[in-house]
Amino acid sequence: MTKKPREKRREGKPEETGGLWITVMGQMLLGGAAAVLAAVLALLVCSLLISAGAVPERFMERAVLAACVLGALIGGLLAVRRIGRSTLLVGAGVGAILFLLLLLAGTLLFEEASISNGGGMMLLSCLCGGAMAGILGSRPKKKRKRL
């Protein structure tokens, strides 16, 4: 009797990939929620400093951009550490999620949110904060010792 070569089973492969995709998206949304929370807390601190007179009002626009970078950085680091792969894409994705959530909140609260009124700079700052998280959150590759 001759033995037949074993065939590799690939039945479970699409489900595993789909489950991984859903897990990654869930972690990115969790990172986006953490980014929104961090950005709102940073904006609260900035508004308190401006109200107290410690910071001049002319720095308000810069404070908003800094809060976006900080929020995307914190949320991106959370997501990158949990996912562990494609760190730059995950970080930038969290930054994009932060921007979309801020745009949604602006539309719901003020019935108008225009990208032309500083939204482009907000988008860039969210993406840069997320990309920084992707770069900072990646684990260095292990070096092999040569004998």
Side-chain angles (χ1 to χ4, degrees), residues 46-116:
C46 289
S47 67
L48 289 174
L49 289 174
I50 290 172
S51 295
V55 176
E57 260 187 69
R58 65 177 186 265
F59 292 129
M60 188 167 51
E61 186 175 332
R62 293 178 190 164
V64 169
L65 296 178
C68 289
V69 170
L70 182 67
L73 181 66
I74 290 173
L77 281 173
L78 176 74
V80 163
R81 292 290 179 176
R82 287 178 167 242
I83 294 171
R85 63 173 104 187
S86 301
T87 56
L88 190 60
L89 291 175
V90 169
V94 170
I97 289 171
L98 171 64
F99 174 73
L100 290 175
L101 289 173
L102 291 176
L103 189 68
L104 178 68
T107 303
L108 290 175
L109 295 175
F110 302 112
E111 297 175 3
E112 179 183 348
S114 176
I115 294 178
S116 62

Side-chain angles (χ1 to χ4, degrees), residues 112-137:
E112 179 183 348
S114 176
I115 294 178
S116 62
N117 292 338
M121 289 300 291
M122 258 179 55
L123 173 63
L124 286 176
S125 61
C126 288
L127 289 176
C128 286
M132 283 192 314
I135 292 170
L136 294 175

